[in-house]
Amino acid sequence: MILSRYEKKKVRIRTESGEIFAGRASVYPSGYGLHEFNRAEESIRIRDTYIFRSEIVTIDVIPEKPVPPGDPKRYDYLLDYLLNDVPCYIADILPKQVPKDADGQYFAVDRYFRQTERLVRLHRKMAELILKLNCYYDVEYSFDTGDSWEMNPDPESVAGKMEAFSGNEWFRALLPAQQTMIEIDPTDTYMTVCTENDEARDLIRDLAAAEGFFFRQAPDRQ
């Protein structure tokens, strides 16, 4: 198994312990392993994890296939990758998750913030965060959970739709070039951000702070 062929490619790795790792690969020679880990063996780094050649059972390249620009399913593979294989974060009105045994009245306060007039205000803040992000990157917008997309639409239209949106379909803002997605359930008081792009993540974190949101790791990705 020649690991160097996977340098900078998106891969999915299964190890002897049964763990699955997916992401863009950085390949390190055996000399690096000897110096850093006292182990003279090639390795692949997926985000913050080093996987040695002898630990790998299978390694598959994740295809990056071009699709027709107008195809409504053109981002399905990217969305699946972002939702399942990259770090996710929360831009929330609270700085940390409320423990199950916490004092106070979390559920009553949560109902307060989910009232329609307050959700409208929160959605306006979310819209303005994403529109500011749109100053730096192209953004594809979807108000029907990804069934249709519009690139860089009129800002007033975006803000108006986000203030009014409700129901069972989620909003998604996708930055294809940065492999980054922001997802919002219309009934929630937070946004989910999935990205492996450090620059985009840091910019979203700063924009979230400016709109009064706290940015932290998603609970299920810690």
Side-chain angles (χ1 to χ4, degrees):
M1 182 185 299
I2 301 173
L3 296 187
S4 59
R5 62 180 291 196
Y6 299 106
E7 174 69 19
K8 301 301 181 183
K9 293 183 179 179
K10 290 182 183 176
V11 298
R12 182 174 283 108
I13 295 173
R14 182 168 63 89
T15 67
E16 289 183 331
S17 63
E19 292 182 284
I20 302 293
F21 299 91
R24 199 168 293 279
S26 297
V27 179
Y28 293 83
S30 57
Y32 180 87
L34 180 63
H35 177 72
E36 293 293 325
F37 304 104
N38 197 28
R39 184 169 175 174
E41 190 175 356
E42 290 180 293
S43 62
I44 284 183
R45 180 169 62 87
I46 303 294
R47 295 194 290 275
D48 296 328
T49 302
Y50 289 85
I51 308 157
F52 289 96
R53 185 173 61 181
S54 63
E55 298 171 334
I56 297 172
V57 175
T58 60
I59 179 169
D60 300 303
V61 176
I62 300 173
E64 301 184 59
K65 297 179 180 178
V67 293
D71 187 342
K73 302 297 184 183
R74 62 191 180 277
Y75 295 126
D76 283 6
Y77 189 90
L78 176 57
L79 290 172
D80 179 71
Y81 175 66
L82 292 173
L83 288 167
N84 294 290
D85 295 321
V86 307
C88 285
Y89 306 87
I90 298 292
D92 196 0
I93 62 172
L94 297 175
K96 62 181 180 179
Q97 188 174 18
V98 177
K100 292 181 179 179
D101 58 351
D103 295 331
Q105 52 171 347
Y106 167 73
F107 293 105
V109 173
D110 184 58
R111 286 194 299 271
Y112 170 85
F113 281 108
R114 288 176 189 266
Q115 292 176 16
T116 301
E117 66 273 19
R118 294 181 181 87
L119 280 178
V120 168
R121 289 200 294 268
L122 280 174
H123 291 159
R124 180 76 183 194
K125 287 177 175 288
M126 294 174 181
E128 292 183 349
L129 184 160
I130 295 167
L131 288 171
K132 291 174 184 177
L133 185 66
N134 204 173
C135 293
Y136 300 89
Y137 307 123
D138 285 328
V139 177
E140 291 269 16
Y141 294 78
S142 174
F143 288 87
D144 53 13
T145 322
D147 287 340
S148 62
W149 297 93
E150 185 176 3
M151 173 73 81
N152 300 338
D154 176 69
E156 288 289 346
S157 172
V158 171
K161 287 181 180 179
M162 287 191 68
E163 285 184 357
F165 87 116
S166 60
N168 297 321
E169 294 184 310
W170 292 16
F171 168 83
R172 284 173 174 166
L174 184 66
L175 287 61
Q178 289 70 39
Q179 297 199 330
T180 297
M181 183 192 67
I182 298 174
E183 184 174 70
I184 305 170
D185 182 323
T187 64
D188 280 337
T189 57
Y190 62 87
M191 298 173 286
T192 301
V193 179
C194 298
T195 185
E196 60 179 355
N197 185 301
D198 292 345
E199 179 186 272
R201 179 202 62 207
D202 291 346
L203 180 56
I204 294 169
R205 180 194 61 209
D206 292 343
L207 293 172
E211 295 295 339
F213 294 100
F214 298 94
F215 194 81
R216 53 188 169 84
Q217 191 91 24
D220 61 347
R221 298 298 179 93
Q222 292 177 342

